[in-house]
């Protein structure tokens, strides 16, 4: 075998070893192929998700889905979040962006609270609740 | 039946979206490359022309949204321009030797580009927006623009509840996502991601302009753009950003060898679009320009950047002005609406933070974290550089822009981490994997050119 061919094979082999063990390429290709296979197996479902309004909200935390449900059921135009909910960055940010254009306003009388906080808002009127959260009206 | 209708709607969305961008892009690209919208003066391969048209269309479309602010008006105006552009391009393409535009060799490249683009359709369209920045920043901005029907103040940029979403960030992809939702008339966690696909197509097109039966191209195709996953489809901008920074350096490397104006123009368009993807685009553009200057000085070739005739034409400067106009407009809006970046680059507190972190040794943590991310790419570069040196040849010149740009950008990011107002450990933990992607991409581009040159030497 020519020395040049050996050199080419050596360089090619080492490049492939680095790609295999030192880059995320193989894992990335695997995920890409898996995504394509999954779509091919569930094509109808995938297409229906793509063209359905408001689809995909199941990715939100359960608490946020419940909060959204309260806002949508009672057609609330603006709301506040309780201190406890605001302290949780995930719940806070997911509520703000998923509820938009319904906005969090400091002056709103409608307050979204977690269920454990209900006793702290005894003076407010409880409008509705879900498993973990409640909507109260505080004058 | 529903599946068939949805499939048709999907096909129309992709094809009409691409044509919308192509038509607008030709109005900029035609005069620069051909000197005319309808008369063909130079033969330029379609696979080189179309990505540049798409990129120009993306930038022009973003400019229109910033100027008109209303999604309806910008879509209408863009549609009219697009139809005019497509008609002119059609005359230019099909009137003059149409059969030369699609040869069997170029058809294989087209098929390859189409195949790679279609691989990304699944993760882009079937995986909903889940990840943090995708939801809290980029596609939240898109939702704000969509619900207001406008890019203007009414989108809510100053609302106190959106401070976490970094309202000062550039909005090319969010605006495009809002347009898609506006055309379809609804929002969900899937369809706005079509904007990511429209961003991907030009890069894949440019990648396949390098296609040939070689080990080096096979490795390039294997590594790039797939190694940027999942950042290319999860809604973060880092993948798209790294993609175009790398493609810009790839095209610049070819320009050094080919001296074809279209490579330089394409490279510059990729660098300009970075300004509208992330704030780091300013650093990337400066890194790209500095690498051009360094290459010019190192190679001592006075004609390297003056050889291209387009530098003598006023249309090129007009196109450059149009390309940078959205940057200026967004800057004005940010001032008017009081939107500021939390890093505070250039302020006295930021300089004090740099000084403090240099003195207390925190910079070591930054370098350690950076090395961990780029280790694999550096290893490949080192191996290829050593193999090349063993052949007693001088360095592959085409690799220099990418390697210089990688180094300058990396240094720039070191400074960003030195001045961060956040806890350094936390900031590195949540971002270093993404922020080093442009550096890794450019190292891969440099490695590709070295491998390509090595292949040619060993085959000779």
């Amino acid at each position: 075998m020519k020395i040049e061919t050996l050199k080419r094979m050596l360089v090619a082999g080492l490049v492939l070893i680095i790609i295999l063990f030192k880059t995320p390429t193989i894992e990335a290709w695997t995920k890409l192929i898996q995504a394509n296979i999954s779509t091919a197996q569930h094509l109808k479902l995938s297409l229906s998700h793509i063209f359905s309004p408001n689809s995909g909200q199941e990715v939100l935390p359960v608490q946020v889905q419940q909060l959204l449900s309260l806002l949508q059921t009672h057609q609330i135009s603006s709301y506040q979040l309780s201190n406890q909910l605001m302290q949780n960055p995930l719940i806070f940010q997911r509520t703000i962006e998923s509820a938009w254009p319904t906005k969090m306003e400091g002056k709103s009388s409608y307050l979204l609270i977690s269920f454990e906080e209900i006793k702290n808002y005894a003076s407010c009127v409880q409008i509705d609740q879900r498993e973990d959260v409640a909507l109260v009206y505080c004058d | 039946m529903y599946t068939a209708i949805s499939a048709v709607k999907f096909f129309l969305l992709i094809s009409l979206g691409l044509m919308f961008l192509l038509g607008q892009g030709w109005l900029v690209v035609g005069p620069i490359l051909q000197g005319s919208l309808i008369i063909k003066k130079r033969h330029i391969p379609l696979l080189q022309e179309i990505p540049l048209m798409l990129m120009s269309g993306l930038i022009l479309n973003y400019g229109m949204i910033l100027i008109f602010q209303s999604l309806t008006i910008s879509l209408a105006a863009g549609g009219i321009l697009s139809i005019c552009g497509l008609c002119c391009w059609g005359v230019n393409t099909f009137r003059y030797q149409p059969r030369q535009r699609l040869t069997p060799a170029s058809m294989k490249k087209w098929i390859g580009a189409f195949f790679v683009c279609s691989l990304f359709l699944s993760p882009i369209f079937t995986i909903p927006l889940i990840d943090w920045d995708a939801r809290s920043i980029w596609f939240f901005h898109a939702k704000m623009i969509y619900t207001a029907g406008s890019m203007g103040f009414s989108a809510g940029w100053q609302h106190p509840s959106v401070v976490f979403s970094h309202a000062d960030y550039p909005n090319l992809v969010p605006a495009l996502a809002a347009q898609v939702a506006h055309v379809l008339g609804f929002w969900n966690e899937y369809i706005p991601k079509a904007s990511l696909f429209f961003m991907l197509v030009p890069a894949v097109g440019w990648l396949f302009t390098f296609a040939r039966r070689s080990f080096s191209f096979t490795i390039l195709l294997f590594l790039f753009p797939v190694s940027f996953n999942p950042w290319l489809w999860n809604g973060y901008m880092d993948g798209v950003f790294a993609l175009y920074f790398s493609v810009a350096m790839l095209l610049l490397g070819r320009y050094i060898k080919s001296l074809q104006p279209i490579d330089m123009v394409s490279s510059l368009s990729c660098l300009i679009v970075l300004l509208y993807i992330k704030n780091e685009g300013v650093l990337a553009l400066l890194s790209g320009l500095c690498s051009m200057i360094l290459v010019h000085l190192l190679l001592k070739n006075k004609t390297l950047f003056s050889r291209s005739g387009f530098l003598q034409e006023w249309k090129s400067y007009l196109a450059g002005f149009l390309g940078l106009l959205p940057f200026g407009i967004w800057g004005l809006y940010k001032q008017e609406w009081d939107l500021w970046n939390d890093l505070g680059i250039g302020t006295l507190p930021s300089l004090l933070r740099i000084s403090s972190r240099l003195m207390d040794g925190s910079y070591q943590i930054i370098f350690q974290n950076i090395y961990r991310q780029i280790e694999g790419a550096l290893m490949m570069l080192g191996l290829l550089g050593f193999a090349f040196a063993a052949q007693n040849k001088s360095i592959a010149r085409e690799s220099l822009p990418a390697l210089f740009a990688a180094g300058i950008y990396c240094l720039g990011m070191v400074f960003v981490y030195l001045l961060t107002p956040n806890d350094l450990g936390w900031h590195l933990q949540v971002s270093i994997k993404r922020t080093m992607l442009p550096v890794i991409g450019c190292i891969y581009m440099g490695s590709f050119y070295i491998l390509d040159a090595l292949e040619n030497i060993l085959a000779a």
Side-chain angles (χ1 to χ4, degrees):
Chain A
M1 197 181 265
K2 273 187 182 174
I3 194 94
E4 260 65 36
T5 309
L6 274 170
K7 282 182 189 175
R8 280 206 296 268
M9 286 172 65
L10 179 67
V11 169
L14 288 171
V15 165
L16 286 171
I17 287 169
I18 291 173
I19 290 173
L20 216 62
F21 294 105
K22 282 291 184 181
T23 71
T25 311
I26 301 294
E27 189 190 327
W29 271 103
T30 308
K31 283 187 179 160
L32 199 57
I33 292 166
Q34 279 174 345
N36 279 278
I37 291 171
S38 171
T39 302
Q41 287 172 337
H42 306 103
L43 185 62
K44 189 176 175 182
L45 186 65
S46 299
L47 285 171
S48 81
H49 281 153
I50 292 168
F51 291 107
S52 298
N54 301 314
S55 60
Q57 286 188 349
E58 62 275 6
V59 303
L60 294 167
V62 172
Q63 236 181 351
V64 175
Q65 292 183 52
Q66 292 170 4
L67 292 170
L68 283 183
S69 168
L70 286 169
L71 291 174
Q72 283 156 15
T73 303
H74 298 278
Q75 295 180 315
I76 306 296
S77 59
S78 67
Y79 63 93
Q80 286 192 67
L81 285 175
S82 69
N83 283 334
Q84 184 177 325
L85 290 178
M86 281 188 58
Q87 295 307 318
N88 184 329
L90 177 66
I91 302 299
F92 172 67
Q93 291 189 22
R94 291 298 146 264
T95 305
I96 300 288
E97 51 91 353
S98 60
W100 197 276
T102 305
K103 297 183 182 72
M104 191 179 86
E105 303 282 6
K107 292 177 186 171
S108 175
S109 303
Y110 293 98
L111 196 64
L112 293 165
I113 63 175
S114 66
F115 207 66
E116 341 145 349
E117 293 178 284
I118 281 184
K119 55 183 183 300
N120 300 342
Y121 296 90
S123 60
C124 300
V125 175
Q126 188 176 327
I127 296 171
D128 198 355
Q129 70 185 55
R130 297 286 184 269
E131 203 177 305
D132 303 314
V133 297
L135 173 67
V136 298
Y137 182 85
C138 299
D139 223 333
Chain B
M1 184 68 180
Y2 176 79
T3 306
I5 293 171
S6 296
V8 169
K9 282 199 302 195
F10 186 78
F11 172 77
L12 285 173
L13 170 69
I14 301 294
S15 47
L16 290 176
L18 289 172
M19 283 164 62
F20 176 74
L21 296 169
L22 276 173
Q24 289 183 73
W26 179 248
L27 296 175
V28 177
V29 167
I32 295 177
L33 294 182
Q34 300 288 355
S36 164
L37 285 172
I38 54 172
I39 299 170
K40 188 180 183 63
K41 290 179 183 169
R42 295 186 194 99
H43 170 67
I44 295 171
L46 211 57
L47 195 54
Q48 282 189 283
E49 201 171 71
I50 284 188
L52 184 57
M53 285 166 65
L54 284 170
M55 182 53 62
S56 303
L58 282 165
I59 296 172
L60 190 62
N61 181 51
Y62 181 50
M64 303 264 279
I65 297 171
L66 283 171
I67 290 168
F68 293 114
Q69 294 190 0
S70 159
L71 288 179
T72 304
I73 296 173
S74 63
L75 277 166
I80 292 167
L81 287 179
S82 183
I83 290 169
C84 295
L86 282 171
C87 291
C88 293
W89 181 69
V91 170
N92 184 287
T93 297
F94 297 109
R95 191 170 162 188
Y96 300 94
Q97 300 167 319
R99 267 175 277 180
Q100 280 196 10
R101 304 229 73 183
L102 280 174
T103 60
S106 71
M107 276 304 296
K108 286 180 191 170
K109 293 181 185 180
W110 278 106
I111 291 168
F114 179 79
F115 177 72
V116 170
C117 286
S118 59
L119 279 179
F120 285 90
L121 284 173
S122 277
I124 286 173
F125 282 99
T126 66
I127 299 174
L129 290 162
I130 301 172
D131 298 87
W132 195 285
D133 282 12
R135 293 198 66 93
S136 289
I137 301 174
W138 307 108
F139 286 86
F140 180 33
H141 289 183
K143 195 175 188 183
M144 288 166 70
I145 298 167
Y146 164 72
T147 53
S150 168
M151 181 92 188
F153 185 75
S154 59
W157 305 111
Q158 269 197 341
H159 196 272
S161 68
V162 308
V163 169
F164 66 84
S165 80
H166 300 281
D168 63 289
Y169 282 6
N171 283 308
L172 184 144
V173 177
L176 192 60
Q179 279 184 312
V180 171
H182 187 76
V183 165
L184 290 172
F186 61 85
W187 183 270
N188 62 26
E189 311 305 325
Y190 299 92
I191 205 63
K193 292 178 77 187
S195 52
L196 298 175
F197 182 76
F198 293 133
M199 291 301 295
L200 180 72
V201 172
V204 174
W206 269 313
L207 178 68
F208 272 86
T209 61
F210 289 82
R212 65 185 189 101
R213 290 176 74 172
S214 67
F215 180 68
S216 55
F217 180 71
T218 308
I219 291 297
L220 181 68
L221 192 61
F222 193 63
L223 269 178
F224 181 89
V226 175
S227 57
F228 293 147
N229 280 338
W231 312 104
L232 282 177
W233 50 256
N234 66 0
Y236 276 72
M237 291 301 110
D238 302 87
V240 176
F241 185 84
L243 190 70
Y244 280 103
F245 191 37
S246 309
V247 167
M249 293 304 110
L250 186 69
L251 291 165
L252 192 58
R254 186 164 65 188
Y255 174 75
I256 286 173
K257 197 173 175 181
S258 70
L259 295 177
Q260 291 296 319
I262 190 165
D263 286 331
M264 172 58 85
V265 173
S266 301
S267 176
L268 286 171
S269 72
C270 290
L271 287 174
I272 288 173
V273 83
L274 296 175
L275 294 172
Y276 310 128
I277 298 175
K278 289 190 79 182
N279 275 340
E280 288 92 313
V282 177
L283 174 60
L285 177 64
L286 289 173
S287 303
L289 293 175
C290 286
S291 77
M292 285 186 205
I293 294 169
L294 281 170
V295 164
H296 177 67
L297 292 171
L298 201 69
L299 296 183
K300 294 178 185 143
N301 183 344
K302 291 197 173 93
T303 60
L304 193 61
F305 294 108
S306 60
R307 163 91 179 257
S308 303
F310 75 94
L311 281 176
Q312 275 100 48
E313 289 184 34
W314 63 269
K315 291 171 206 163
S316 303
Y317 293 100
L318 179 62
F321 172 74
L322 287 174
L324 292 170
L325 190 61
F327 183 71
I329 296 174
W330 183 241
L332 285 171
Y333 286 162
K334 283 195 292 184
Q335 261 197 325
E336 195 180 317
W337 301 333
D338 204 30
L339 305 176
W340 300 106
N341 188 259
D342 61 335
L343 288 178
I345 295 173
T347 59
L348 183 61
S350 72
L351 296 171
L352 290 172
R353 286 193 292 268
I354 293 176
S355 162
S356 157
R357 285 188 173 123
L358 283 172
M359 286 198 295
D360 71 10
S362 300
Y363 63 91
Q364 292 175 22
I365 303 169
I366 299 171
F367 281 115
Q368 282 164 8
N369 275 270
I370 287 175
Y371 178 72
R372 244 176 264 140
Q373 297 304 315
I374 67 174
E375 191 186 356
L378 279 180
M379 213 174 269
M380 190 181 325
L381 180 67
L383 164 73
L384 292 170
F386 180 74
F388 200 85
Q391 298 301 314
N392 288 323
K393 298 282 181 187
S394 56
I395 192 162
R397 303 181 327 161
E398 301 88 342
S399 66
L400 293 176
L403 298 178
F404 283 147
I408 298 167
Y409 186 86
C410 191
L411 271 176
M413 287 310 299
V414 167
F415 274 100
V416 170
Y417 282 117
L418 282 172
L419 62 80
T420 179
N422 304 302
D423 175 68
L424 180 60
W426 172 84
H427 198 176
L428 284 166
Q429 187 196 348
V430 300
S431 69
I432 195 83
K433 259 189 172 173
R434 303 179 275 117
T435 57
M436 283 301 113
L437 289 176
V439 178
I440 293 169
C442 283
I443 295 176
Y444 285 160
M445 298 303 119
S447 302
F448 161 70
Y449 278 118
I450 297 173
L451 182 60
D452 190 55
L454 199 57
E455 227 181 331
N456 293 332
I457 292 167
L458 293 175

